Each structure stands twice: as structure tokens, then as C-alpha cells.
Amino acid sequence: MAGQHDEQILETLVASCRALVALHGDPGSDAVADVVIRRYHDLTPKGRARFFSFCASELGPDHRAVRSAIDSYLADPNDSGVVRLRNATMTPRMSLFDTLNNATAGLSALLQMRADLANAARDAPDLEPVDADLLRLFQLWFNRGFLELRSLDWSTPARTLEKLIEYEAVHEITGWDDLRRRLDATDRRIFAYFHPALPDDPVIFVEVALTRGLASSIQQLLAPRQGQPESDRFDTAIFYSITNCQSGLRGVTFGNALIKQVTSVLAGEVPELTTFSTLSPIPGFRRWLDDRRSSRDAGLSTADRAKLAHLDEPGWLGDARHVRRVRPVLERACARCLLAARPDGMPVDPVARFHLRNGARVERINWAGDTSERGIAQSAGMLVNYLYDPDSIETNRQRLELEGHIAHSPLVADLAALQRS
């Protein structure tokens, strides 16, 4: 039944898409676009995969026009030839997506399409050009000029606050009381970017704690407290969670601009702030370490391997004897993981790549910074502070891109170089 259902919907959907490409924004296209969106939402996942196959096979570029534009440019290289070549590479599906963006809830529907496309493309690499076209459009539509920064608080509409609970991907918000603690305190802030077409739905948000000195434990930051702290004690802003809310926007970067703008806002609000840092997970650490443990050529001594075997025992972090043996080895390994690079020169840990590309430096490793089940599984319970120093951000970023140099503090350098115990 589902297959027959999809067949009927696809027939209408494909015909509407062809009509929409032909109309190309002419009067009547909005009504057809609404039909396309409704029909798409009626499809099953398999039906949506077939729709993307239609977009790939029938709405691709005119290869003869592209070849003609290339030959023309090679024969007489000039700016007009570049424009002709660019126009030749604009596919009919880009015209389709551009027109759908003007429909009621069109942008939201396109974000859902790209999220669905990620699932369909796992088994269909020929769908990659469809994804590339959508990504290109989203990079235009979600550029910094369109985004609005908002500081959220307990008076923010409930429909938006519900989205924070739903989307939080780093440290789960367990309910309304937990959310209120993160919003309605003198030492807590949440900032988010919004797009005009998605006024109640954040694109990305960051949670900030104002502290005295660097924070070392997420449990301490999130724990219930009595009363409100004195605001004149704050000298540090800790970015402890950054969540990208729209899976359809993977590959579109906002984090760098968000951190920079929030830093500027906080510096204006609280002039006493002198330090801006993160308290970040290290999601790639255990995987990196386990790979080394399973390799004979990883440079681990027999004694180190024996100590690291405690990681495989349930509750090891709560056993003082195990901790005494494993901690020096584990902290050294964590420092080396954070300073390790892939063949392309970028850090192996994904969160490290994000912050270091933005110009931060690896400042401090925090033992038992995240003792949640997830924190122990991903990073053996450790967290890291990345420091954003305005005087060195650009230098750090350039050295990473040009030299593969991972900026780090002397403390981390010393930890990584410790002799085996």
C-alpha cells in the first residue's frame, strides 16, 4: 500500500516540479510550490529517496551548454565568459529550490529535505550533486547578514524555549526547571541566531556561564544552587555548550561568528570580563585512544597498556585505586590527542577542529570534568578549556591553516611531554 501511495504522490509531485521549473517565478508559481511541499511531506522515506533521484537525473545541468561555455571561455578568456559559465552551471533543480523558498514555510521544508537527503545519500552517492546545490543555496540564504542575534531569557516565548530543550545536543536539558537555571540567573546566558523565515526556531545557540577563573567541571556549572551569585565576582565567560539546531544546515558554519558576537556583547554588558574560554567535550578521545591501544606500534608501554585496561571496567572512575594508576597515563594521552593532527594538518578531534580553526588555543585539560555516562564513554570523563585570546586569535588561526600548528598552552605542552610513569 505504501508503494502505491508513493507512486500516486510522486506522479503529482514530479509533474508539479517540472511545471515550477518552467514557470521560474512567474505568476502562479507560489501556488504550485505549495503543492510541491505538501506532496513531498506526504511521501514515505522511500518515496522521498525516489524524489531525490528524480532531482539528480532530470534536473541536473545542461552538459552541452556547460561544454559550450567552457570552450568559449578558453577561446577568449574574459569576464563575460565567466558569467556565461556560471549561468550554465546553474541547474534546474537550483531554480526549483529557489522557487520553493518563496512558498509558505518553504525554507523549513527545504531544511527538512536536506536532512532527509543525508539519509537517502548513504546508499546513493549519485545524490551528492543535489546536496551540493542545496548547500550552495543555504550558504547564500543563511549568511551572517540575514541572522539576528537574540539573548534569550525566561520571558522568551515558550515555543522557542521548547526548541532549546529539544535541540540541546551537548548537555541535556532535563526539563523546565533545568532550563530556567540556565536562563534566569545573574551568571548564566543563552544566545541564539535566528533567521527571518524561522522567527521562533533557533539556527544555533550557545550557553554561557560567568565565573571566577576557568571552570573545570560541567557538573558544577549545571548543578542547582542556592541564591544568586554576586555579579562583581565574574572575570571569565565560559562557553559550555554550542548546539547547531538544524541538521539540514550541516556544512554551513555559524559558530565562529556567534562566538565573536557574543563575546562582544558580554564584554559590553560586563566590563570586568577579561577571559573568554570554553568548557568543551573531547568526543574523539576514547576512539583515538582505543585505536592506539589496539595497535602494536602506538608507542604505549606494557605498563601503560595494563593501566589503561582499567578503562574497560565498569565504574573505574569511582575507584580511587584505579584512578591513581590510570590518571597520569590518561591525562598525557589526552594532551597528545588534542595536539595530534590528521594528514591534512587539522586536529583529529572534531570539537578541537572547530575551536582551533576559530583561533582558540588548547588551554587546560580537566580531569573528571564530565562524569556523565556519555562523558565517560566519549572522553574518559575529561573536558578541555579552549581559550579565546583576542590578541592571538588571528595568529593562531593562520598558523593552523598555513603550518598545521595547533596552538596550546605551556601547561598542555608539559603534560603531553611527561615521561611515562
Side-chain angles (χ1 to χ4, degrees), residues 12 27 49 56 83 114 124 128 141 291 302 307 374:
T12 303
V83 172
R114 188 159 185 254
E128 182 180 351
W141 298 337
D291 287 345
T302 301
K307 293 170 184 177
R374 181 180 183 182

Side-chain angles (χ1 to χ4, degrees), residues 120-237:
R122 291 193 184 101
D123 301 318
D126 58 315
L127 299 182
E128 182 180 351
V130 183
D131 183 76
D133 281 350
L134 273 172
L135 175 60
R136 183 177 177 185
L137 290 171
F138 286 155
Q139 288 171 333
L140 294 173
W141 298 337
F142 284 87
N143 73 67
R144 176 63 192 88
F146 286 113
L147 301 178
E148 175 195 359
L149 180 70
R150 298 184 203 165
S151 177
L152 308 183
D153 55 36
W154 198 241
S155 66
T156 299
R159 58 183 175 273
T160 298
L161 297 183
E162 287 175 344
K163 294 292 185 181
L164 301 183
I165 297 175
E166 175 186 349
Y167 290 138
E168 167 59 64
V170 183
H171 303 294
E172 179 186 6
I173 299 174
T174 57
W176 289 103
D177 289 342
D178 187 12
L179 177 60
R180 185 159 194 164
R181 285 193 294 270
R182 304 190 195 194
L183 283 171
D184 198 27
T186 59
D187 61 343
R188 295 293 185 270
R189 305 283 193 279
I190 296 182
F191 295 88
Y193 272 150
F194 289 84
H195 190 279
L198 305 166
D200 301 318
D201 200 351
V203 173
I204 184 174
F205 67 90
V206 60
E207 299 175 62
V208 187
L210 306 184
T211 64
R212 188 75 175 178
L214 292 180
S216 61
S217 167
I218 193 62
Q219 291 80 225
Q220 293 176 0
L221 286 186
L222 300 182
R225 293 159 297 153
Q226 296 295 324
Q228 297 280 18
E230 298 176 8
S231 59
D232 60 359
R233 296 183 61 251
F234 308 143
D235 64 6
T236 302

Side-chain angles (χ1 to χ4, degrees), residues 31-316:
V32 179
D34 288 338
V35 171
V36 169
I37 290 172
R38 288 199 304 271
R39 295 291 83 187
Y40 176 81
H41 285 312
D42 289 338
L43 289 171
T44 66
K46 288 185 177 180
R48 295 180 182 188
R50 291 180 60 190
F51 167 71
F52 295 133
S53 293
F54 156 74
C55 291
S57 61
E58 294 194 33
L59 300 181
D62 183 336
H63 293 288
R64 286 182 297 179
V66 173
R67 171 58 67 182
S68 176
I70 292 173
D71 291 342
S72 176
Y73 178 77
L74 292 176
D76 181 20
N78 56 60
D79 290 349
S80 296
V82 172
V83 172
R84 181 184 175 191
L85 179 58
R86 182 176 63 225
N87 291 338
T89 60
M90 293 290 289
T91 63
R93 59 178 167 257
M94 289 188 76
S95 174
L96 169 68
F97 298 146
D98 190 47
T99 307
L100 290 177
N101 186 40
N102 296 321
T104 304
L107 186 57
S108 179
L110 288 168
L111 288 170
Q112 182 62 57
M113 283 186 186
R114 188 159 185 254
D116 295 338
L117 180 57
N119 295 324
R122 291 193 184 101
D123 301 318
D126 58 315
L127 299 182
E128 182 180 351
V130 183
D131 183 76
D133 281 350
L134 273 172
L135 175 60
R136 183 177 177 185
L137 290 171
F138 286 155
Q139 288 171 333
L140 294 173
W141 298 337
F142 284 87
N143 73 67
R144 176 63 192 88
F146 286 113
L147 301 178
E148 175 195 359
L149 180 70
R150 298 184 203 165
S151 177
L152 308 183
D153 55 36
W154 198 241
S155 66
T156 299
R159 58 183 175 273
T160 298
L161 297 183
E162 287 175 344
K163 294 292 185 181
L164 301 183
I165 297 175
E166 175 186 349
Y167 290 138
E168 167 59 64
V170 183
H171 303 294
E172 179 186 6
I173 299 174
T174 57
W176 289 103
D177 289 342
D178 187 12
L179 177 60
R180 185 159 194 164
R181 285 193 294 270
R182 304 190 195 194
L183 283 171
D184 198 27
T186 59
D187 61 343
R188 295 293 185 270
R189 305 283 193 279
I190 296 182
F191 295 88
Y193 272 150
F194 289 84
H195 190 279
L198 305 166
D200 301 318
D201 200 351
V203 173
I204 184 174
F205 67 90
V206 60
E207 299 175 62
V208 187
L210 306 184
T211 64
R212 188 75 175 178
L214 292 180
S216 61
S217 167
I218 193 62
Q219 291 80 225
Q220 293 176 0
L221 286 186
L222 300 182
R225 293 159 297 153
Q226 296 295 324
Q228 297 280 18
E230 298 176 8
S231 59
D232 60 359
R233 296 183 61 251
F234 308 143
D235 64 6
T236 302
I238 299 290
F239 300 85
Y240 65 90
S241 178
I242 300 176
T243 297
N244 288 293
C245 305
Q246 310 294 332
S247 60
L249 290 176
R250 68 191 181 284
V252 184
T253 58
F254 312 102
N256 185 19
L258 179 63
I259 290 174
K260 286 182 178 178
Q261 191 171 1
V262 169
T263 296
S264 178
V265 170
L266 288 173
E269 288 183 0
V270 189
E272 295 78 14
L273 295 176
T274 58
T275 303
F276 296 87
S277 175
T278 75
L279 184 62
S280 299
I282 316 167
F285 175 48
R286 276 301 304 266
R287 182 171 59 252
W288 177 89
L289 182 61
D290 289 344
D291 287 345
R292 289 172 62 82
R293 290 173 62 195
S294 63
S295 172
R296 294 182 178 180
D297 302 321
L300 290 173
S301 68
T302 301
D304 282 352
R305 291 180 187 276
K307 293 170 184 177
L308 291 173
H310 292 306
L311 300 180
D312 301 324
E313 301 176 19
W316 67 268

